[in-house]
Amino acid sequence: MMPILILAAGASSRMRGADKLLLDVDGVPLLRRQARMAMEVSTDVRIALPPRPHPRYDLVRDLDVQTIEVADASQGMSASLRTLFATLEPEQSHAMVLLGDLPDLSDDDLRAVMSATTQYPDALIWRGATQTGKGGHPMVVAHPLFDEFQTLEGDSGGHSIIANHKGAVHLVPLKGNRARQDLDTPEDWAAWRAGRSTSGAPR
């Protein structure tokens, strides 16, 4: 079973005091929604979280997931990636990386990116993308790159690794902008909720 690694250790620093992963999406806190979505696709879900104590642990305490404490979470996304990839067993051939703050993704989107690993086996990275071809998440990484993710630095996530292996990246178009629709600020959330209200989707 392919592990799903959820990045949820960030500080929500642009939310001006609110924690975006605790905000409501269709009646469920965003982080819990992402965890449950991942559980629909894999029995191996690992979530990077800030150092304890932190309210995000309470959101997934009753779920069958692994919570991975990121001691140096303040160093940025790369710290979460280093920590999560270090938990992978040697026999794992692939792992999926999922951002905690992409509220429009569905379990079918995750399955589509996973399926691409067998349809396009020569790639090393498979990424969800917008319909206009911009790469986003979720992202599946092949075993040969695991070591590179364990040595990342800074807050650029895996962008440097993706750039170094751009010839081995396969994009999987997903509906609309859902592969990149992260919500980092109160204004992002307000615009997203307004858009869903206009479309008739639950808020």
Side-chain angles (χ1 to χ4, degrees):
M1 178 59 64
M2 186 185 300
I4 298 181
L5 313 178
I6 301 179
L7 304 183
S12 291
S13 57
R14 297 172 61 193
M15 287 295 295
R16 300 196 289 277
D19 186 337
K20 61 185 176 182
L21 296 182
L22 273 62
L23 296 182
D24 182 280
V25 176
D26 299 340
V28 181
L30 178 55
L31 175 58
R32 185 175 178 86
R33 177 198 183 276
Q34 301 301 82
R36 286 167 52 180
M37 175 178 64
M39 291 171 63
E40 290 291 323
V41 179
S42 175
T43 57
D44 186 351
V45 178
R46 313 180 192 194
I47 307 176
L49 292 173
R52 291 180 175 89
H54 198 285
R56 291 179 192 170
Y57 288 88
D58 295 332
L59 298 182
V60 297
R61 190 180 307 279
D62 62 328
L63 301 181
D64 187 15
V65 299
Q66 296 183 51
T67 54
I68 312 297
E69 184 171 345
V70 182
D72 52 353
S74 61
Q75 295 182 17
M77 190 183 299
S78 294
S80 293
L81 288 167
R82 288 196 305 269
T83 301
L84 286 169
F85 273 87
T87 71
L88 295 174
E89 295 76 17
E91 65 270 17
Q92 296 290 350
S93 61
H94 300 80
M96 172 175 279
V97 176
L98 175 63
L99 298 185
D101 61 351
L102 293 172
D104 289 329
L105 286 177
S106 70
D107 51 316
D108 285 340
D109 295 327
L110 273 57
R111 290 188 184 95
V113 178
M114 281 187 175
S115 295
T117 64
T118 55
Q119 297 169 5
Y120 303 92
D122 293 337
L124 291 172
I125 298 172
W126 300 260
R127 300 185 70 186
T130 67
Q131 289 182 316
T132 57
K134 294 182 178 180
H137 281 78
M139 176 176 71
V140 172
V141 178
H143 184 274
L145 300 184
F146 286 5
D147 286 347
E148 293 187 40
F149 277 88
Q150 290 186 54
T151 58
L152 278 172
E153 298 292 340
D155 195 28
S156 62
H159 291 305
S160 60
I161 296 175
I162 293 169
N164 290 339
H165 299 280
K166 59 184 178 181
V169 176
H170 177 79
L171 297 180
V172 181
L174 303 177
K175 184 178 179 180
N177 194 46
R178 60 180 58 191
R180 293 170 63 94
Q181 184 64 63
D182 57 340
L183 305 177
D184 289 331
T185 67
E187 291 77 17
D188 291 341
W189 277 89
W192 179 76
R193 292 191 191 283
R196 295 190 95 204
S197 178
T198 300
S199 67
R203 289 178 289 173

